[in-house]
Amino acid sequence: MLADKACKKVLKTRKSWNLKYMNSYERRLAHEQISKYDKLDSHSEGIEPKRFVVVDYKID
């Protein structure tokens, strides 16, 4: 899944990563997948129909 690839990039680089534009259902699925990673956080940005998910590394 796209969210898993982004999570691995963020864990490796510790830099935020933007996913592609998604509808609300796809964003919800991405947020759920990202929440499985303890060191990562996510939020949505943009205005419909160009809203996207941002994956962030949690600072210790």
Side-chain angles (χ1 to χ4, degrees), residues 6 14 60:
R14 296 186 178 193
D60 296 332

Side-chain angles (χ1 to χ4, degrees), residues 33-58:
Q33 189 65 28
I34 295 163
S35 71
K36 295 177 182 177
Y37 293 83
D38 291 334
K39 295 186 177 189
L40 301 180
D41 199 8
S42 66
H43 65 278
S44 294
E45 290 185 4
I47 299 172
E48 290 292 346
K50 295 184 176 181
R51 281 187 64 81
F52 56 93
V53 174
V54 179
V55 183
D56 295 311
Y57 187 83
K58 289 183 186 176

Side-chain angles (χ1 to χ4, degrees), residues 13-36:
T13 64
R14 296 186 178 193
K15 294 183 181 180
S16 297
W17 188 263
N18 298 344
L19 300 178
K20 65 181 179 89
Y21 300 141
M22 300 179 192
N23 63 41
S24 60
Y25 177 71
E26 292 170 323
R27 287 194 312 272
R28 184 175 147 265
L29 293 177
H31 286 299
E32 287 177 2
Q33 189 65 28
I34 295 163
S35 71
K36 295 177 182 177

